[in-house]
Amino acid sequence: MRIAVAGLGYVGLANAAILAPRNEVVALDVDARRVDLVNRRLSPIADAELEEFLVAAPAGLRATTDQADALEGAD
């Protein structure tokens, strides 16, 4: 399943992390810095568990600032 998640704050990033192991997740955010950090497997927020998850994150998680990209094919 392809899932689009809006926002890379505490709620959005946590939801993306929970869904990513079994799904393709594209996270959408307006902040290019946050998008870049997530794509480099670094957490944009201070949370030890999210930081650990991103280091070992499955390939199915990525972030973008492009709404069309995030929503294309999303279930």
Side-chain angles (χ1 to χ4, degrees):
M1 182 180 300
R2 182 169 180 183
I3 300 170
V5 174
L8 286 171
Y10 288 101
V11 175
L13 185 53
N15 282 320
I18 289 168
L19 295 167
R22 296 180 187 221
N23 302 282
E24 177 186 356
V25 177
V26 181
L28 173 67
D29 200 283
V30 297
D31 187 335
R33 181 181 95 38
R34 284 181 180 225
V35 167
D36 179 58
L37 287 170
V38 170
N39 286 333
R40 290 188 297 134
R41 302 299 187 227
L42 300 171
S43 180
I45 56 177
D47 184 304
E49 291 172 343
L50 279 173
E51 290 170 7
E52 289 176 19
F53 172 81
L54 287 172
V55 169
L61 173 62
R62 68 181 180 87
T64 184
T65 57
D66 184 341
Q67 181 178 356
D69 177 32
L71 299 177
E72 182 179 346
D75 294 312

Coordinates of all heavy atoms in Angstrom, one line a residue:
M1 N 0.8 -1.2 0.0 CA 0.0 0.0 0.0 C 0.9 1.2 0.0 O 1.9 1.3 0.7 CB -0.9 0.0 1.2 CG -1.8 1.2 1.3 SD -2.9 1.2 2.7 CE -3.8 -0.3 2.6
R2 N 0.5 2.3 -0.7 CA 1.2 3.5 -0.7 C 0.4 4.5 0.1 O -0.7 4.8 -0.2 CB 1.5 4.0 -2.2 CG 2.2 5.3 -2.1 CD 2.7 5.8 -3.5 NE 3.5 7.0 -3.3 CZ 4.0 7.7 -4.2 NH1 3.9 7.3 -5.5 NH2 4.6 8.8 -4.0
I3 N 1.1 5.1 1.1 CA 0.4 6.0 2.0 C 1.1 7.4 1.9 O 2.3 7.5 2.0 CB 0.4 5.5 3.4 CG1 -0.3 4.1 3.5 CG2 -0.1 6.5 4.4 CD1 -0.1 3.4 4.8
A4 N 0.3 8.4 1.9 CA 0.9 9.8 2.0 C 0.6 10.3 3.4 O -0.6 10.2 3.9 CB 0.2 10.7 0.9
V5 N 1.6 10.9 4.0 CA 1.4 11.5 5.4 C 1.8 13.0 5.2 O 2.8 13.3 4.7 CB 2.4 10.8 6.4 CG1 2.3 11.5 7.7 CG2 2.0 9.3 6.5
A6 N 0.9 13.8 5.7 CA 1.1 15.2 5.7 C 1.8 15.7 7.0 O 1.2 15.5 8.1 CB -0.2 16.0 5.5
G7 N 2.9 16.3 6.9 CA 3.6 16.9 8.0 C 4.7 16.0 8.6 O 4.5 14.8 8.7
L8 N 5.8 16.6 8.9 CA 6.9 15.8 9.5 C 7.2 16.3 10.9 O 8.3 16.4 11.4 CB 8.2 16.0 8.7 CG 8.2 15.2 7.4 CD1 9.3 15.5 6.5 CD2 8.2 13.7 7.7
G9 N 6.1 16.7 11.6 CA 6.2 17.1 13.0 C 6.1 15.9 13.9 O 6.3 14.7 13.4
Y10 N 5.8 16.0 15.2 CA 5.7 14.9 16.1 C 4.7 13.9 15.7 O 5.0 12.7 15.7 CB 5.4 15.4 17.5 CG 6.5 16.1 18.2 CD1 6.6 17.5 18.2 CD2 7.6 15.4 18.7 CE1 7.6 18.2 18.8 CE2 8.6 16.1 19.3 CZ 8.7 17.5 19.4 OH 9.7 18.1 19.9
V11 N 3.5 14.3 15.2 CA 2.5 13.4 14.8 C 2.7 12.8 13.5 O 2.7 11.5 13.3 CB 1.1 14.1 14.9 CG1 0.0 13.1 14.4 CG2 0.8 14.5 16.3
G12 N 3.0 13.6 12.5 CA 3.2 13.1 11.1 C 4.4 12.1 11.0 O 4.3 11.1 10.4
L13 N 5.5 12.5 11.6 CA 6.7 11.7 11.5 C 6.5 10.4 12.3 O 6.9 9.3 11.8 CB 8.0 12.4 12.0 CG 9.3 11.7 11.8 CD1 9.5 11.2 10.4 CD2 10.4 12.5 12.3
A14 N 5.9 10.4 13.4 CA 5.6 9.2 14.2 C 4.7 8.3 13.4 O 4.9 7.1 13.3 CB 5.0 9.6 15.5
N15 N 3.6 8.8 12.8 CA 2.7 8.0 11.9 C 3.5 7.4 10.8 O 3.3 6.2 10.4 CB 1.5 8.8 11.5 CG 0.5 9.0 12.6 OD1 0.2 8.0 13.3 ND2 -0.1 10.1 12.7
A16 N 4.3 8.2 10.1 CA 5.1 7.7 9.0 C 6.0 6.5 9.4 O 6.1 5.5 8.7 CB 5.9 8.8 8.3
A17 N 6.6 6.7 10.5 CA 7.5 5.7 11.1 C 6.8 4.4 11.4 O 7.2 3.3 11.1 CB 8.2 6.2 12.3
I18 N 5.6 4.5 12.0 CA 4.8 3.3 12.3 C 4.3 2.6 11.1 O 4.3 1.3 11.0 CB 3.6 3.7 13.2 CG1 4.1 4.1 14.6 CG2 2.6 2.6 13.3 CD1 3.0 4.8 15.4
L19 N 4.0 3.3 10.0 CA 3.4 2.7 8.8 C 4.5 2.2 7.8 O 4.2 1.3 7.0 CB 2.5 3.7 8.1 CG 1.3 4.2 8.8 CD1 0.7 5.4 8.2 CD2 0.3 3.0 8.9
A20 N 5.7 2.7 7.9 CA 6.7 2.5 6.9 C 7.2 1.0 6.8 O 7.5 0.5 5.8 CB 7.9 3.4 7.1
P21 N 7.3 0.3 7.9 CA 7.8 -1.1 7.8 C 7.0 -2.0 6.9 O 7.5 -2.9 6.3 CB 7.8 -1.6 9.2 CG 8.0 -0.4 10.1 CD 7.2 0.7 9.3
R22 N 5.7 -1.7 6.7 CA 4.9 -2.6 5.9 C 4.2 -1.9 4.7 O 3.4 -2.5 4.0 CB 3.8 -3.2 6.8 CG 4.4 -4.1 7.9 CD 3.3 -4.7 8.7 NE 3.9 -5.4 9.8 CZ 3.5 -6.5 10.3 NH1 2.5 -7.1 9.7 NH2 4.1 -7.1 11.3
N23 N 4.6 -0.7 4.5 CA 4.0 0.1 3.4 C 5.0 1.1 2.8 O 6.1 1.3 3.4 CB 2.9 1.0 4.0 CG 1.8 0.2 4.6 OD1 1.0 -0.4 4.0 ND2 1.8 0.1 6.0
E24 N 4.7 1.5 1.6 CA 5.5 2.6 1.0 C 4.9 3.9 1.5 O 3.7 4.2 1.3 CB 5.4 2.6 -0.5 CG 6.1 3.7 -1.2 CD 5.9 3.7 -2.7 OE1 5.3 2.8 -3.2 OE2 6.4 4.7 -3.3
V25 N 5.7 4.7 2.2 CA 5.2 5.9 2.8 C 5.9 7.1 2.2 O 7.2 7.2 2.2 CB 5.4 5.9 4.4 CG1 4.9 7.2 5.0 CG2 4.6 4.8 5.0
V26 N 5.2 8.1 1.8 CA 5.7 9.4 1.3 C 5.2 10.5 2.2 O 4.0 10.7 2.3 CB 5.3 9.7 -0.2 CG1 6.0 11.0 -0.6 CG2 5.8 8.5 -1.1
A27 N 6.1 11.1 2.9 CA 5.8 12.2 3.8 C 5.9 13.5 3.2 O 6.9 13.8 2.5 CB 6.6 12.1 5.1
L28 N 4.9 14.4 3.3 CA 4.8 15.7 2.7 C 5.0 16.7 3.7 O 4.4 16.7 4.8 CB 3.5 15.9 2.0 CG 3.2 17.3 1.4 CD1 4.1 17.6 0.2 CD2 1.7 17.3 1.0
D29 N 5.9 17.7 3.5 CA 6.1 18.8 4.4 C 6.5 20.0 3.6 O 7.2 19.9 2.6 CB 7.2 18.5 5.4 CG 7.0 19.4 6.7 OD1 7.5 20.5 6.6 OD2 6.5 18.9 7.7
V30 N 6.2 21.2 4.1 CA 6.5 22.5 3.4 C 8.0 22.9 3.8 O 8.5 23.7 3.1 CB 5.5 23.6 3.7 CG1 4.1 23.3 3.2 CG2 5.5 23.9 5.2
D31 N 8.5 22.3 4.8 CA 9.8 22.7 5.3 C 10.9 21.8 4.6 O 11.1 20.6 4.9 CB 9.9 22.5 6.8 CG 11.2 23.0 7.4 OD1 12.2 23.1 6.7 OD2 11.2 23.4 8.6
A32 N 11.6 22.4 3.6 CA 12.6 21.6 2.9 C 13.7 21.1 3.8 O 14.3 20.0 3.5 CB 13.2 22.5 1.8
R33 N 14.0 21.7 4.9 CA 15.0 21.3 5.8 C 14.6 20.0 6.5 O 15.4 19.0 6.5 CB 15.3 22.3 6.9 CG 16.4 21.9 7.9 CD 16.7 22.9 8.9 NE 16.0 22.9 10.2 CZ 15.7 21.8 11.0 NH1 15.9 20.6 10.5 NH2 15.2 21.9 12.2
R34 N 13.4 19.9 6.9 CA 12.9 18.7 7.5 C 12.9 17.5 6.5 O 13.2 16.4 6.8 CB 11.4 18.8 8.0 CG 11.4 19.6 9.3 CD 9.9 19.7 9.8 NE 9.9 20.5 11.0 CZ 9.2 20.2 12.0 NH1 8.4 19.1 12.0 NH2 9.2 20.9 13.1
V35 N 12.4 17.8 5.3 CA 12.4 16.8 4.2 C 13.8 16.3 4.0 O 14.0 15.0 3.9 CB 11.8 17.4 2.9 CG1 12.0 16.5 1.7 CG2 10.3 17.6 3.1
D36 N 14.8 17.2 3.9 CA 16.2 16.8 3.6 C 16.7 15.9 4.8 O 17.3 14.8 4.6 CB 17.0 18.0 3.5 CG 18.5 17.6 3.3 OD1 18.8 16.9 2.3 OD2 19.3 18.1 4.1
L37 N 16.4 16.3 6.0 CA 16.8 15.5 7.2 C 16.2 14.1 7.1 O 17.0 13.1 7.3 CB 16.5 16.2 8.5 CG 17.3 17.4 8.8 CD1 16.7 18.1 10.0 CD2 18.7 17.0 9.1
V38 N 15.0 13.9 6.9 CA 14.3 12.6 6.9 C 14.9 11.8 5.7 O 15.2 10.6 5.9 CB 12.8 12.8 6.8 CG1 12.1 11.4 6.5 CG2 12.2 13.4 8.0
N39 N 15.1 12.4 4.6 CA 15.7 11.6 3.5 C 17.1 11.2 3.7 O 17.6 10.2 3.1 CB 15.5 12.4 2.2 CG 14.1 12.4 1.7 OD1 13.3 11.5 1.9 ND2 13.8 13.5 0.9
R40 N 17.8 11.9 4.6 CA 19.2 11.5 5.0 C 19.1 10.6 6.2 O 20.2 10.4 6.8 CB 20.0 12.8 5.2 CG 20.3 13.5 3.9 CD 21.3 14.6 4.1 NE 20.9 15.7 5.0 CZ 21.6 16.2 6.0 NH1 22.8 15.8 6.2 NH2 21.1 17.2 6.7
R41 N 17.9 10.2 6.6 CA 17.7 9.4 7.8 C 18.2 10.0 9.1 O 18.7 9.4 10.0 CB 18.5 8.0 7.6 CG 18.0 7.3 6.4 CD 16.6 6.9 6.5 NE 16.1 6.1 5.4 CZ 15.1 6.3 4.6 NH1 14.3 7.3 4.9 NH2 14.7 5.5 3.7
L42 N 17.9 11.3 9.2 CA 18.1 12.1 10.5 C 16.8 12.6 10.9 O 15.9 13.0 10.1 CB 19.1 13.2 10.2 CG 20.5 12.8 9.7 CD1 21.2 14.0 9.3 CD2 21.2 12.0 10.8
S43 N 16.5 12.7 12.2 CA 15.3 13.1 12.7 C 15.3 14.7 12.9 O 16.2 15.3 13.4 CB 15.0 12.5 14.1 OG 13.8 13.0 14.6
P44 N 14.2 15.3 12.4 CA 14.1 16.8 12.5 C 13.6 17.2 13.9 O 13.5 18.4 14.2 CB 13.1 17.2 11.4 CG 12.3 15.9 11.2 CD 13.2 14.8 11.5
I45 N 13.2 16.2 14.7 CA 12.7 16.5 16.1 C 13.5 15.7 17.0 O 14.1 14.6 16.7 CB 11.2 16.2 16.2 CG1 10.9 14.8 15.8 CG2 10.4 17.2 15.4 CD1 9.5 14.4 16.0
A46 N 13.6 16.2 18.3 CA 14.4 15.4 19.3 C 13.5 14.3 19.9 O 12.6 14.6 20.7 CB 14.8 16.4 20.4
D47 N 13.8 13.1 19.4 CA 13.1 11.9 19.9 C 14.0 10.7 19.7 O 14.2 10.3 18.5 CB 11.7 11.8 19.2 CG 10.9 10.6 19.7 OD1 11.4 9.5 19.7 OD2 9.8 10.8 20.0
A48 N 14.5 10.2 20.7 CA 15.5 9.1 20.6 C 14.9 7.9 19.8 O 15.7 7.3 19.0 CB 15.9 8.6 22.0
E49 N 13.7 7.5 20.0 CA 13.1 6.4 19.3 C 13.0 6.6 17.8 O 13.3 5.8 17.0 CB 11.8 5.9 19.9 CG 12.0 5.3 21.3 CD 10.6 5.1 22.0 OE1 9.6 5.6 21.6 OE2 10.6 4.3 23.0
L50 N 12.6 7.8 17.5 CA 12.5 8.2 16.0 C 13.9 8.2 15.4 O 14.1 7.8 14.3 CB 11.8 9.5 15.8 CG 10.3 9.4 15.9 CD1 9.7 10.8 15.8 CD2 9.7 8.6 14.7
E51 N 14.9 8.8 16.2 CA 16.2 8.8 15.7 C 16.7 7.4 15.4 O 17.3 7.2 14.3 CB 17.1 9.5 16.7 CG 16.8 11.0 16.7 CD 17.5 11.7 17.9 OE1 18.4 11.1 18.6 OE2 17.2 12.9 18.1
E52 N 16.5 6.5 16.3 CA 16.9 5.1 16.1 C 16.2 4.5 14.9 O 16.8 3.8 14.1 CB 16.6 4.3 17.3 CG 17.5 4.6 18.5 CD 17.2 3.8 19.7 OE1 16.5 2.8 19.6 OE2 17.6 4.2 20.8
F53 N 14.9 4.7 14.8 CA 14.1 4.2 13.7 C 14.7 4.7 12.3 O 14.8 3.9 11.4 CB 12.7 4.6 13.8 CG 11.9 4.2 12.6 CD1 11.5 2.8 12.4 CD2 11.6 5.1 11.5 CE1 10.8 2.5 11.3 CE2 11.0 4.7 10.4 CZ 10.5 3.4 10.2
L54 N 14.9 6.0 12.2 CA 15.4 6.5 10.9 C 16.7 5.9 10.5 O 17.0 5.7 9.3 CB 15.4 8.0 11.0 CG 14.1 8.7 11.0 CD1 14.2 10.2 11.3 CD2 13.3 8.5 9.7
V55 N 17.6 5.6 11.5 CA 18.9 5.1 11.1 C 18.7 3.7 10.5 O 19.3 3.3 9.5 CB 19.8 4.9 12.4 CG1 21.0 4.1 12.1 CG2 20.2 6.3 12.9
A56 N 17.7 2.9 11.0 CA 17.4 1.6 10.4 C 16.2 1.6 9.6 O 15.7 0.5 9.3 CB 17.3 0.6 11.6
A57 N 15.8 2.7 9.1 CA 14.5 2.9 8.4 C 14.5 2.0 7.1 O 15.4 1.9 6.4 CB 14.2 4.3 8.0
P58 N 13.3 1.4 6.9 CA 13.1 0.7 5.6 C 13.2 1.6 4.4 O 12.9 2.8 4.6 CB 11.8 0.0 5.8 CG 11.0 0.9 6.8 CD 12.1 1.5 7.7
A59 N 13.5 1.1 3.3 CA 13.6 1.9 2.1 C 12.2 2.5 1.7 O 12.2 3.4 0.8 CB 14.1 1.0 0.9
G60 N 11.1 2.0 2.3 CA 9.8 2.5 1.9 C 9.4 3.8 2.5 O 8.3 4.3 2.3
L61 N 10.3 4.5 3.2 CA 10.0 5.8 3.7 C 10.8 6.9 3.0 O 12.0 6.8 3.0 CB 10.3 5.8 5.2 CG 10.2 7.2 5.9 CD1 8.7 7.7 5.8 CD2 10.6 7.1 7.4
R62 N 10.1 7.9 2.5 CA 10.8 9.0 1.9 C 10.0 10.3 2.2 O 8.8 10.2 2.5 CB 11.2 8.9 0.5 CG 10.0 8.8 -0.5 CD 10.5 8.6 -1.9 NE 9.3 8.6 -2.8 CZ 8.8 9.6 -3.4 NH1 9.3 10.8 -3.1 NH2 7.7 9.5 -4.2
A63 N 10.6 11.4 2.0 CA 9.9 12.7 2.2 C 10.0 13.6 1.0 O 11.0 13.5 0.2 CB 10.4 13.4 3.5
T64 N 9.1 14.5 0.9 CA 9.1 15.4 -0.3 C 8.3 16.7 0.1 O 7.5 16.7 1.0 CB 8.4 14.8 -1.5 OG1 8.5 15.7 -2.6 CG2 6.9 14.5 -1.3
T65 N 8.7 17.8 -0.7 CA 7.9 19.0 -0.5 C 6.9 19.2 -1.7 O 6.1 20.1 -1.7 CB 8.8 20.3 -0.6 OG1 9.6 20.2 -1.8 CG2 9.8 20.3 0.6
D66 N 6.9 18.2 -2.6 CA 6.0 18.2 -3.8 C 4.7 17.5 -3.5 O 4.7 16.3 -3.4 CB 6.8 17.6 -4.9 CG 6.0 17.6 -6.2 OD1 4.8 17.8 -6.2 OD2 6.7 17.4 -7.3
Q67 N 3.7 18.2 -3.4 CA 2.3 17.6 -3.1 C 1.9 16.6 -4.1 O 1.4 15.5 -3.8 CB 1.3 18.7 -3.0 CG -0.1 18.2 -2.6 CD -1.1 19.3 -2.4 OE1 -0.8 20.5 -2.5 NE2 -2.3 18.9 -2.2
A68 N 2.1 16.9 -5.4 CA 1.7 16.0 -6.5 C 2.5 14.7 -6.3 O 1.9 13.6 -6.5 CB 1.9 16.6 -7.8
D69 N 3.8 14.7 -6.0 CA 4.6 13.6 -5.8 C 4.1 12.7 -4.7 O 3.9 11.5 -4.7 CB 6.0 14.0 -5.6 CG 7.0 12.8 -5.3 OD1 6.7 11.7 -5.9 OD2 7.9 13.0 -4.6
A70 N 3.8 13.4 -3.6 CA 3.3 12.7 -2.4 C 2.0 12.0 -2.6 O 1.8 10.9 -2.1 CB 3.2 13.7 -1.2
L71 N 1.1 12.6 -3.3 CA -0.3 12.1 -3.4 C -0.4 11.1 -4.6 O -1.4 10.3 -4.6 CB -1.3 13.2 -3.6 CG -1.4 14.2 -2.4 CD1 -2.3 15.3 -2.7 CD2 -1.7 13.4 -1.1
E72 N 0.5 11.1 -5.6 CA 0.4 10.3 -6.7 C 0.4 8.8 -6.3 O 1.3 8.3 -5.7 CB 1.5 10.5 -7.7 CG 1.5 9.7 -9.0 CD 2.6 10.0 -9.9 OE1 3.3 11.0 -9.7 OE2 2.8 9.2 -10.8
G73 N -0.7 8.1 -6.6 CA -0.8 6.7 -6.4 C -1.1 6.4 -4.9 O -1.1 5.2 -4.6
A74 N -1.3 7.4 -4.1 CA -1.5 7.1 -2.7 C -2.9 6.4 -2.5 O -3.9 6.7 -3.1 CB -1.5 8.4 -1.8
D75 N -2.9 5.4 -1.6 CA -4.1 4.7 -1.3 C -4.9 5.5 -0.2 O -6.0 5.4 -0.1 CB -3.8 3.3 -0.8 CG -3.2 2.4 -1.8 OD1 -3.7 2.4 -3.0 OD2 -2.2 1.8 -1.6

